[in-house]
Amino acid sequence: MEERLQAICSQLAVEGELPEDISVKPVLTVPKDPAHGDFASNLAMQLAKPMRRAPRAVAELIIERLADTDGLERVEIAGPGFMNFFVEAGAAFALIDSILEAGERFGRSEAGRGQKVQVEFVSANPTGPLHVGHGRGAAYGSVVANLLEAIGADVQREYYVNDAGRQMHILAASVWLRYLEHHGVAGHFPTAAYQSQGYIVDIARGLEAEHGARMLAPADRVFADLPPDAPDGDKEQHIDALIARMHEELGEENYRLVFRAALDSILDDIRADLAEFGVEYDNWYSEQSLADRGLVDGAIERLREAGHIYERGGALWFRSTDFGDDKDRVVRRENGQTTYFASDIAYHLDKFDRGFNRVIDIWGADHHGYVPRVRAALTAMGRPADSLTVSLVQFAILYRGGERVPMSTRSGSFVTLRELREEVGSDAARFFYVMRAANQHLDFDLDLAKSQSNENPLYYIQYAHARVASVFRQLPLRGFEHEPEAGREAYERLTESHEQALFKRLAQYPALIERAATAHEPHQLVHYLRDLAQDFHSYYNAHAFLLGEDAPLRNARLNLVAATRQVLANGLGLLGVNAPDEM
C-alpha cells in the first residue's frame, strides 16, 4: 500500500497537482483502535500545504485514485485529514501464504536495483585491538549493508586500512622498544608510545621468534641525545626523534620488517575479531596504496587543473571554502609531504572511479569536522553532493552493575570488542549496538544484555521464535501434524483480535525494510521485531494452538504462527542475529 501511495504522489506531480520538487515518503501506521481501520496515514496532511488544498480535499483526491486497488475494502477520512484504510479479509489471509511461499525472501524487494553502493565502515587504525566503540560502527555498518542488499542494491563492504600515518610509526617504535626490553636493552618508554603490556609485547616476542637478535641496538645509541619526554619536554617531539633513531639504527629494510610485523599482526587480529562478530568485508583497501599508485598526487593535480588549488607559505591549499567548508585546507605541506586530507580526497575520488554511484562512509562522531571538507573536494571535482552519505556513529558507553566502565586507548587499558563478545555474546552485542539511532549516544547495559528475561529485548524476540518452534515440536507428541492446505480453508475463522494484530504487523514488514534501508536506520527493524514479538506473545498467552478436534482452525493458526516465525527469522537474519529454535 505504501508503494501504491508513492505512485499516486508521482501521478499527482505529473498532473501538476503537486510540485515536482516536493519529496514525500508515505508511511502507514497501525491504529490503536481497530475501529479506525487496519492502517492509517497522514499523507493528505503532509501534501496539503504544497498542493494548496485543504487536507480533506487532498485525501479525497488520493482516495479517488485508490478505487481499483486490490485487497482494499474502503478508505475513510477522519478528523482534519487522516486516511483510515480497511483491508479485505481475503487480502490479509493471502499474506500468510505469501510469507510461507517466499520464505527467507519475504520482505526483499527490487527498490534499490541499479544502485552500486559502497559501504565503508570501522576502518580503525591498525594500532591495536578493536574496542567497544569500534564495535558499534561494525554492527551498524554491517546491518546497513544487509538492508541495502535486501532492497536489491549491489553492495560492497570495504575497510580502509590506515597503514600510512604517523600512528603506525609510533606503533612500530613501541614494538621495537618492547623487543629491546625482551633482550635486556632497557631504557625510558615514551609517554606517547602504545603502553600496552599485552598485544605490543606479543608482537615483539613474535618478532624475536622469527628474526632473533637481528633488530638489536645498544641502549647508549638508542636513547642518547633525544629531546626530553613529558613532563619536562614535548612528548610528540620525543617520540618523533625516537622513530628517526629507529630508522638510523635498523636501516630501511629492518625498519620495514618491524613495521610490517606490527601491522600484519594487528590487522590479522582485527579481521578475525570482525569475522567472529559476523562482519565480513569484500575489500580491504590500503591507504599506502594511494601513494604507491600516485593517486594522491594525481588528485591534487586534478584539483589544480580545475583551478581549486593555490600556494601560500610554501604549501598547497585547496580552496574548500568555495564549496561550503569553514576554511581552506592544506593538501601538501611546505616540506613537500601530503596531508591526511589529501589522501582522503584521493581515496574518495577512487571510490567513484571504481564505478560506485553511491558511497556511504560510517565514521565515529569525532570525525564530524571531516565531512564538509571531503564533500567540498568531491563537489569541486563535479560529483553530486548527495552521492556521498556520511553517517556519524556516537559513542557506546558500557555500564555494569549501574556503574560506568572506563575506557581509554593509548594507555592500553580499554575494553576490547572481543571481551564484550565473550561477556554478552555476539548476538546481544550486535543487537544492542543497533537498538538506537546511530547518531544518539548509547548506554550499553551489560547486565541487561546477559539477562534471560522479557526485559531484555533480544531475549524477548528470540523467545518468540523459539516458542513457535516449540509449538511445532509438540505436534507429533499430541498426535497432530501440520496440514497447511487444511489451514487455508479456515482462514476466515481467524477473527480474534490477537490474530488481526498479527496480520497487520506482518503486512508492515516489506515496507519497513525499505524504509530502514533507505534511511540507513537499523533501529527501525529492531523496534518492529520487538512489536511483532509482543503481538505474538500476547496471542500465545491468550489462545490455544493445538486444539483437539478442531483441525481446520488448528491448521489455520499454525499457518499464521509459521508465517510469524518466518518474519522473525528474516528480520533477525538482517541484524546478523541468530533465530534459535530452543532457549
Side-chain angles (χ1 to χ4, degrees), residues 244-260:
R245 183 64 51 81
M246 180 180 173
H247 270 100
E248 294 170 6
E249 291 296 325
L250 293 183
E252 187 59 27
E253 181 181 353
N254 285 345
Y255 181 89
R256 298 307 301 180
L257 285 175
V258 178
F259 186 98
R260 290 302 312 184

mmCIF file with all atom_site columns, all heavy atoms in Angstrom, residues 244-260:
data_model
loop_
_atom_site.group_PDB
_atom_site.id
_atom_site.type_symbol
_atom_site.label_atom_id
_atom_site.label_alt_id
_atom_site.label_comp_id
_atom_site.label_asym_id
_atom_site.label_entity_id
_atom_site.label_seq_id
_atom_site.pdbx_PDB_ins_code
_atom_site.Cartn_x
_atom_site.Cartn_y
_atom_site.Cartn_z
_atom_site.occupancy
_atom_site.B_iso_or_equiv
_atom_site.pdbx_formal_charge
_atom_site.auth_seq_id
_atom_site.auth_comp_id
_atom_site.auth_asym_id
_atom_site.auth_atom_id
_atom_site.pdbx_PDB_model_num
ATOM 1   N N   . ALA A 1 244 ? 62.915 8.437  14.322 1.00 0.00 ? 244 ALA A N   1
ATOM 2   C CA  . ALA A 1 244 ? 64.054 8.734  13.439 1.00 0.00 ? 244 ALA A CA  1
ATOM 3   C C   . ALA A 1 244 ? 65.278 7.920  13.848 1.00 0.00 ? 244 ALA A C   1
ATOM 4   O O   . ALA A 1 244 ? 66.017 7.402  12.991 1.00 0.00 ? 244 ALA A O   1
ATOM 5   C CB  . ALA A 1 244 ? 64.363 10.224 13.486 1.00 0.00 ? 244 ALA A CB  1
ATOM 6   N N   . ARG A 1 245 ? 65.511 7.781  15.165 1.00 0.00 ? 245 ARG A N   1
ATOM 7   C CA  . ARG A 1 245 ? 66.637 6.992  15.656 1.00 0.00 ? 245 ARG A CA  1
ATOM 8   C C   . ARG A 1 245 ? 66.478 5.513  15.264 1.00 0.00 ? 245 ARG A C   1
ATOM 9   O O   . ARG A 1 245 ? 67.447 4.838  14.906 1.00 0.00 ? 245 ARG A O   1
ATOM 10  C CB  . ARG A 1 245 ? 66.725 7.146  17.183 1.00 0.00 ? 245 ARG A CB  1
ATOM 11  C CG  . ARG A 1 245 ? 67.898 6.423  17.838 1.00 0.00 ? 245 ARG A CG  1
ATOM 12  C CD  . ARG A 1 245 ? 69.251 6.974  17.404 1.00 0.00 ? 245 ARG A CD  1
ATOM 13  N NE  . ARG A 1 245 ? 69.342 8.419  17.528 1.00 0.00 ? 245 ARG A NE  1
ATOM 14  C CZ  . ARG A 1 245 ? 69.605 9.086  18.680 1.00 0.00 ? 245 ARG A CZ  1
ATOM 15  N NH1 . ARG A 1 245 ? 69.817 8.403  19.791 1.00 0.00 ? 245 ARG A NH1 1
ATOM 16  N NH2 . ARG A 1 245 ? 69.667 10.396 18.694 1.00 0.00 ? 245 ARG A NH2 1
ATOM 17  N N   . MET A 1 246 ? 65.267 5.034  15.337 1.00 0.00 ? 246 MET A N   1
ATOM 18  C CA  . MET A 1 246 ? 64.992 3.652  14.949 1.00 0.00 ? 246 MET A CA  1
ATOM 19  C C   . MET A 1 246 ? 65.350 3.422  13.488 1.00 0.00 ? 246 MET A C   1
ATOM 20  O O   . MET A 1 246 ? 65.950 2.393  13.120 1.00 0.00 ? 246 MET A O   1
ATOM 21  C CB  . MET A 1 246 ? 63.511 3.335  15.203 1.00 0.00 ? 246 MET A CB  1
ATOM 22  C CG  . MET A 1 246 ? 63.067 1.928  14.858 1.00 0.00 ? 246 MET A CG  1
ATOM 23  S SD  . MET A 1 246 ? 61.298 1.712  15.200 1.00 0.00 ? 246 MET A SD  1
ATOM 24  C CE  . MET A 1 246 ? 61.035 0.075  14.491 1.00 0.00 ? 246 MET A CE  1
ATOM 25  N N   . HIS A 1 247 ? 65.001 4.389  12.630 1.00 0.00 ? 247 HIS A N   1
ATOM 26  C CA  . HIS A 1 247 ? 65.381 4.298  11.219 1.00 0.00 ? 247 HIS A CA  1
ATOM 27  C C   . HIS A 1 247 ? 66.903 4.237  11.068 1.00 0.00 ? 247 HIS A C   1
ATOM 28  O O   . HIS A 1 247 ? 67.443 3.440  10.288 1.00 0.00 ? 247 HIS A O   1
ATOM 29  C CB  . HIS A 1 247 ? 64.850 5.518  10.442 1.00 0.00 ? 247 HIS A CB  1
ATOM 30  C CG  . HIS A 1 247 ? 63.489 5.337  9.866  1.00 0.00 ? 247 HIS A CG  1
ATOM 31  N ND1 . HIS A 1 247 ? 62.348 5.840  10.449 1.00 0.00 ? 247 HIS A ND1 1
ATOM 32  C CD2 . HIS A 1 247 ? 63.074 4.705  8.744  1.00 0.00 ? 247 HIS A CD2 1
ATOM 33  C CE1 . HIS A 1 247 ? 61.292 5.536  9.722  1.00 0.00 ? 247 HIS A CE1 1
ATOM 34  N NE2 . HIS A 1 247 ? 61.708 4.835  8.665  1.00 0.00 ? 247 HIS A NE2 1
ATOM 35  N N   . GLU A 1 248 ? 67.600 5.085  11.816 1.00 0.00 ? 248 GLU A N   1
ATOM 36  C CA  . GLU A 1 248 ? 69.067 5.124  11.723 1.00 0.00 ? 248 GLU A CA  1
ATOM 37  C C   . GLU A 1 248 ? 69.685 3.800  12.137 1.00 0.00 ? 248 GLU A C   1
ATOM 38  O O   . GLU A 1 248 ? 70.613 3.293  11.481 1.00 0.00 ? 248 GLU A O   1
ATOM 39  C CB  . GLU A 1 248 ? 69.611 6.245  12.617 1.00 0.00 ? 248 GLU A CB  1
ATOM 40  C CG  . GLU A 1 248 ? 69.231 7.648  12.184 1.00 0.00 ? 248 GLU A CG  1
ATOM 41  C CD  . GLU A 1 248 ? 69.604 8.678  13.241 1.00 0.00 ? 248 GLU A CD  1
ATOM 42  O OE1 . GLU A 1 248 ? 70.256 8.286  14.251 1.00 0.00 ? 248 GLU A OE1 1
ATOM 43  O OE2 . GLU A 1 248 ? 69.239 9.865  13.086 1.00 0.00 ? 248 GLU A OE2 1
ATOM 44  N N   . GLU A 1 249 ? 69.186 3.237  13.220 1.00 0.00 ? 249 GLU A N   1
ATOM 45  C CA  . GLU A 1 249 ? 69.801 2.028  13.774 1.00 0.00 ? 249 GLU A CA  1
ATOM 46  C C   . GLU A 1 249 ? 69.466 0.780  12.966 1.00 0.00 ? 249 GLU A C   1
ATOM 47  O O   . GLU A 1 249 ? 70.293 -0.111 12.817 1.00 0.00 ? 249 GLU A O   1
ATOM 48  C CB  . GLU A 1 249 ? 69.350 1.838  15.229 1.00 0.00 ? 249 GLU A CB  1
ATOM 49  C CG  . GLU A 1 249 ? 69.898 2.867  16.196 1.00 0.00 ? 249 GLU A CG  1
ATOM 50  C CD  . GLU A 1 249 ? 71.414 2.792  16.316 1.00 0.00 ? 249 GLU A CD  1
ATOM 51  O OE1 . GLU A 1 249 ? 71.957 1.668  16.243 1.00 0.00 ? 249 GLU A OE1 1
ATOM 52  O OE2 . GLU A 1 249 ? 72.050 3.854  16.456 1.00 0.00 ? 249 GLU A OE2 1
ATOM 53  N N   . LEU A 1 250 ? 68.256 0.708  12.451 1.00 0.00 ? 250 LEU A N   1
ATOM 54  C CA  . LEU A 1 250 ? 67.821 -0.515 11.775 1.00 0.00 ? 250 LEU A CA  1
ATOM 55  C C   . LEU A 1 250 ? 68.050 -0.486 10.271 1.00 0.00 ? 250 LEU A C   1
ATOM 56  O O   . LEU A 1 250 ? 68.199 -1.539 9.638  1.00 0.00 ? 250 LEU A O   1
ATOM 57  C CB  . LEU A 1 250 ? 66.332 -0.768 12.049 1.00 0.00 ? 250 LEU A CB  1
ATOM 58  C CG  . LEU A 1 250 ? 65.942 -1.101 13.494 1.00 0.00 ? 250 LEU A CG  1
ATOM 59  C CD1 . LEU A 1 250 ? 64.452 -1.400 13.582 1.00 0.00 ? 250 LEU A CD1 1
ATOM 60  C CD2 . LEU A 1 250 ? 66.743 -2.283 14.025 1.00 0.00 ? 250 LEU A CD2 1
ATOM 61  N N   . GLY A 1 251 ? 68.041 0.697  9.684  1.00 0.00 ? 251 GLY A N   1
ATOM 62  C CA  . GLY A 1 251 ? 68.060 0.768  8.228  1.00 0.00 ? 251 GLY A CA  1
ATOM 63  C C   . GLY A 1 251 ? 66.664 0.499  7.697  1.00 0.00 ? 251 GLY A C   1
ATOM 64  O O   . GLY A 1 251 ? 65.790 -0.031 8.395  1.00 0.00 ? 251 GLY A O   1
ATOM 65  N N   . GLU A 1 252 ? 66.436 0.838  6.445  1.00 0.00 ? 252 GLU A N   1
ATOM 66  C CA  . GLU A 1 252 ? 65.084 0.778  5.893  1.00 0.00 ? 252 GLU A CA  1
ATOM 67  C C   . GLU A 1 252 ? 64.526 -0.636 5.869  1.00 0.00 ? 252 GLU A C   1
ATOM 68  O O   . GLU A 1 252 ? 63.354 -0.872 6.183  1.00 0.00 ? 252 GLU A O   1
ATOM 69  C CB  . GLU A 1 252 ? 65.077 1.377  4.486  1.00 0.00 ? 252 GLU A CB  1
ATOM 70  C CG  . GLU A 1 252 ? 63.688 1.518  3.881  1.00 0.00 ? 252 GLU A CG  1
ATOM 71  C CD  . GLU A 1 252 ? 62.772 2.407  4.721  1.00 0.00 ? 252 GLU A CD  1
ATOM 72  O OE1 . GLU A 1 252 ? 63.282 3.301  5.436  1.00 0.00 ? 252 GLU A OE1 1
ATOM 73  O OE2 . GLU A 1 252 ? 61.541 2.182  4.674  1.00 0.00 ? 252 GLU A OE2 1
ATOM 74  N N   . GLU A 1 253 ? 65.362 -1.628 5.501  1.00 0.00 ? 253 GLU A N   1
ATOM 75  C CA  . GLU A 1 253 ? 64.849 -3.000 5.380  1.00 0.00 ? 253 GLU A CA  1
ATOM 76  C C   . GLU A 1 253 ? 64.366 -3.531 6.718  1.00 0.00 ? 253 GLU A C   1
ATOM 77  O O   . GLU A 1 253 ? 63.254 -4.070 6.822  1.00 0.00 ? 253 GLU A O   1
ATOM 78  C CB  . GLU A 1 253 ? 65.933 -3.915 4.807  1.00 0.00 ? 253 GLU A CB  1
ATOM 79  C CG  . GLU A 1 253 ? 65.448 -5.356 4.631  1.00 0.00 ? 253 GLU A CG  1
ATOM 80  C CD  . GLU A 1 253 ? 66.534 -6.276 4.084  1.00 0.00 ? 253 GLU A CD  1
ATOM 81  O OE1 . GLU A 1 253 ? 67.613 -5.768 3.712  1.00 0.00 ? 253 GLU A OE1 1
ATOM 82  O OE2 . GLU A 1 253 ? 66.290 -7.496 4.034  1.00 0.00 ? 253 GLU A OE2 1
ATOM 83  N N   . ASN A 1 254 ? 65.203 -3.418 7.757  1.00 0.00 ? 254 ASN A N   1
ATOM 84  C CA  . ASN A 1 254 ? 64.810 -3.936 9.063  1.00 0.00 ? 254 ASN A CA  1
ATOM 85  C C   . ASN A 1 254 ? 63.678 -3.116 9.681  1.00 0.00 ? 254 ASN A C   1
ATOM 86  O O   . ASN A 1 254 ? 62.819 -3.656 10.389 1.00 0.00 ? 254 ASN A O   1
ATOM 87  C CB  . ASN A 1 254 ? 66.016 -3.972 10.005 1.00 0.00 ? 254 ASN A CB  1
ATOM 88  C CG  . ASN A 1 254 ? 66.958 -5.114 9.676  1.00 0.00 ? 254 ASN A CG  1
ATOM 89  O OD1 . ASN A 1 254 ? 66.607 -6.037 8.944  1.00 0.00 ? 254 ASN A OD1 1
ATOM 90  N ND2 . ASN A 1 254 ? 68.172 -5.048 10.193 1.00 0.00 ? 254 ASN A ND2 1
ATOM 91  N N   . TYR A 1 255 ? 63.697 -1.814 9.419  1.00 0.00 ? 255 TYR A N   1
ATOM 92  C CA  . TYR A 1 255 ? 62.598 -0.985 9.917  1.00 0.00 ? 255 TYR A CA  1
ATOM 93  C C   . TYR A 1 255 ? 61.263 -1.483 9.344  1.00 0.00 ? 255 TYR A C   1
ATOM 94  O O   . TYR A 1 255 ? 60.269 -1.617 10.059 1.00 0.00 ? 255 TYR A O   1
ATOM 95  C CB  . TYR A 1 255 ? 62.807 0.484  9.544  1.00 0.00 ? 255 TYR A CB  1
ATOM 96  C CG  . TYR A 1 255 ? 61.696 1.383  10.066 1.00 0.00 ? 255 TYR A CG  1
ATOM 97  C CD1 . TYR A 1 255 ? 61.783 1.946  11.334 1.00 0.00 ? 255 TYR A CD1 1
ATOM 98  C CD2 . TYR A 1 255 ? 60.560 1.648  9.295  1.00 0.00 ? 255 TYR A CD2 1
ATOM 99  C CE1 . TYR A 1 255 ? 60.759 2.757  11.824 1.00 0.00 ? 255 TYR A CE1 1
ATOM 100 C CE2 . TYR A 1 255 ? 59.534 2.445  9.775  1.00 0.00 ? 255 TYR A CE2 1
ATOM 101 C CZ  . TYR A 1 255 ? 59.639 3.001  11.039 1.00 0.00 ? 255 TYR A CZ  1
ATOM 102 O OH  . TYR A 1 255 ? 58.620 3.786  11.526 1.00 0.00 ? 255 TYR A OH  1
ATOM 103 N N   . ARG A 1 256 ? 61.240 -1.761 8.038  1.00 0.00 ? 256 ARG A N   1
ATOM 104 C CA  . ARG A 1 256 ? 60.004 -2.240 7.411  1.00 0.00 ? 256 ARG A CA  1
ATOM 105 C C   . ARG A 1 256 ? 59.578 -3.592 7.950  1.00 0.00 ? 256 ARG A C   1
ATOM 106 O O   . ARG A 1 256 ? 58.380 -3.892 8.029  1.00 0.00 ? 256 ARG A O   1
ATOM 107 C CB  . ARG A 1 256 ? 60.170 -2.312 5.885  1.00 0.00 ? 256 ARG A CB  1
ATOM 108 C CG  . ARG A 1 256 ? 60.446 -0.991 5.184  1.00 0.00 ? 256 ARG A CG  1
ATOM 109 C CD  . ARG A 1 256 ? 59.438 0.090  5.520  1.00 0.00 ? 256 ARG A CD  1
ATOM 110 N NE  . ARG A 1 256 ? 58.052 -0.259 5.190  1.00 0.00 ? 256 ARG A NE  1
ATOM 111 C CZ  . ARG A 1 256 ? 57.010 0.538  5.404  1.00 0.00 ? 256 ARG A CZ  1
ATOM 112 N NH1 . ARG A 1 256 ? 57.198 1.711  5.975  1.00 0.00 ? 256 ARG A NH1 1
ATOM 113 N NH2 . ARG A 1 256 ? 55.798 0.160  5.079  1.00 0.00 ? 256 ARG A NH2 1
ATOM 114 N N   . LEU A 1 257 ? 60.555 -4.433 8.335  1.00 0.00 ? 257 LEU A N   1
ATOM 115 C CA  . LEU A 1 257 ? 60.215 -5.727 8.933  1.00 0.00 ? 257 LEU A CA  1
ATOM 116 C C   . LEU A 1 257 ? 59.451 -5.537 10.238 1.00 0.00 ? 257 LEU A C   1
ATOM 117 O O   . LEU A 1 257 ? 58.446 -6.212 10.489 1.00 0.00 ? 257 LEU A O   1
ATOM 118 C CB  . LEU A 1 257 ? 61.477 -6.549 9.174  1.00 0.00 ? 257 LEU A CB  1
ATOM 119 C CG  . LEU A 1 257 ? 62.133 -7.184 7.944  1.00 0.00 ? 257 LEU A CG  1
ATOM 120 C CD1 . LEU A 1 257 ? 63.445 -7.860 8.337  1.00 0.00 ? 257 LEU A CD1 1
ATOM 121 C CD2 . LEU A 1 257 ? 61.178 -8.206 7.304  1.00 0.00 ? 257 LEU A CD2 1
ATOM 122 N N   . VAL A 1 258 ? 59.929 -4.611 11.078 1.00 0.00 ? 258 VAL A N   1
ATOM 123 C CA  . VAL A 1 258 ? 59.229 -4.333 12.339 1.00 0.00 ? 258 VAL A CA  1
ATOM 124 C C   . VAL A 1 258 ? 57.854 -3.730 12.051 1.00 0.00 ? 258 VAL A C   1
ATOM 125 O O   . VAL A 1 258 ? 56.836 -4.132 12.639 1.00 0.00 ? 258 VAL A O   1
ATOM 126 C CB  . VAL A 1 258 ? 60.057 -3.377 13.218 1.00 0.00 ? 258 VAL A CB  1
ATOM 127 C CG1 . VAL A 1 258 ? 59.299 -3.060 14.519 1.00 0.00 ? 258 VAL A CG1 1
ATOM 128 C CG2 . VAL A 1 258 ? 61.418 -3.977 13.541 1.00 0.00 ? 258 VAL A CG2 1
ATOM 129 N N   . PHE A 1 259 ? 57.827 -2.770 11.131 1.00 0.00 ? 259 PHE A N   1
ATOM 130 C CA  . PHE A 1 259 ? 56.581 -2.103 10.766 1.00 0.00 ? 259 PHE A CA  1
ATOM 131 C C   . PHE A 1 259 ? 55.551 -3.123 10.275 1.00 0.00 ? 259 PHE A C   1
ATOM 132 O O   . PHE A 1 259 ? 54.398 -3.130 10.713 1.00 0.00 ? 259 PHE A O   1
ATOM 133 C CB  . PHE A 1 259 ? 56.883 -1.069 9.679  1.00 0.00 ? 259 PHE A CB  1
ATOM 134 C CG  . PHE A 1 259 ? 55.718 -0.199 9.296  1.00 0.00 ? 259 PHE A CG  1
ATOM 135 C CD1 . PHE A 1 259 ? 55.580 1.072  9.833  1.00 0.00 ? 259 PHE A CD1 1
ATOM 136 C CD2 . PHE A 1 259 ? 54.752 -0.635 8.386  1.00 0.00 ? 259 PHE A CD2 1
ATOM 137 C CE1 . PHE A 1 259 ? 54.510 1.893  9.466  1.00 0.00 ? 259 PHE A CE1 1
ATOM 138 C CE2 . PHE A 1 259 ? 53.689 0.158  8.021  1.00 0.00 ? 259 PHE A CE2 1
ATOM 139 C CZ  . PHE A 1 259 ? 53.564 1.434  8.568  1.00 0.00 ? 259 PHE A CZ  1
ATOM 140 N N   . ARG A 1 260 ? 55.957 -3.995 9.354  1.00 0.00 ? 260 ARG A N   1
ATOM 141 C CA  . ARG A 1 260 ? 55.032 -4.984 8.794  1.00 0.00 ? 260 ARG A CA  1
ATOM 142 C C   . ARG A 1 260 ? 54.609 -6.008 9.835  1.00 0.00 ? 260 ARG A C   1
ATOM 143 O O   . ARG A 1 260 ? 53.447 -6.454 9.832  1.00 0.00 ? 260 ARG A O   1
ATOM 144 C CB  . ARG A 1 260 ? 55.672 -5.701 7.606  1.00 0.00 ? 260 ARG A CB  1
ATOM 145 C CG  . ARG A 1 260 ? 55.860 -4.886 6.355  1.00 0.00 ? 260 ARG A CG  1
ATOM 146 C CD  . ARG A 1 260 ? 54.591 -4.293 5.797  1.00 0.00 ? 260 ARG A CD  1
ATOM 147 N NE  . ARG A 1 260 ? 53.473 -5.213 5.667  1.00 0.00 ? 260 ARG A NE  1
ATOM 148 C CZ  . ARG A 1 260 ? 52.305 -4.899 5.131  1.00 0.00 ? 260 ARG A CZ  1
ATOM 149 N NH1 . ARG A 1 260 ? 52.108 -3.671 4.680  1.00 0.00 ? 260 ARG A NH1 1
ATOM 150 N NH2 . ARG A 1 260 ? 51.318 -5.781 5.053  1.00 0.00 ? 260 ARG A NH2 1
#
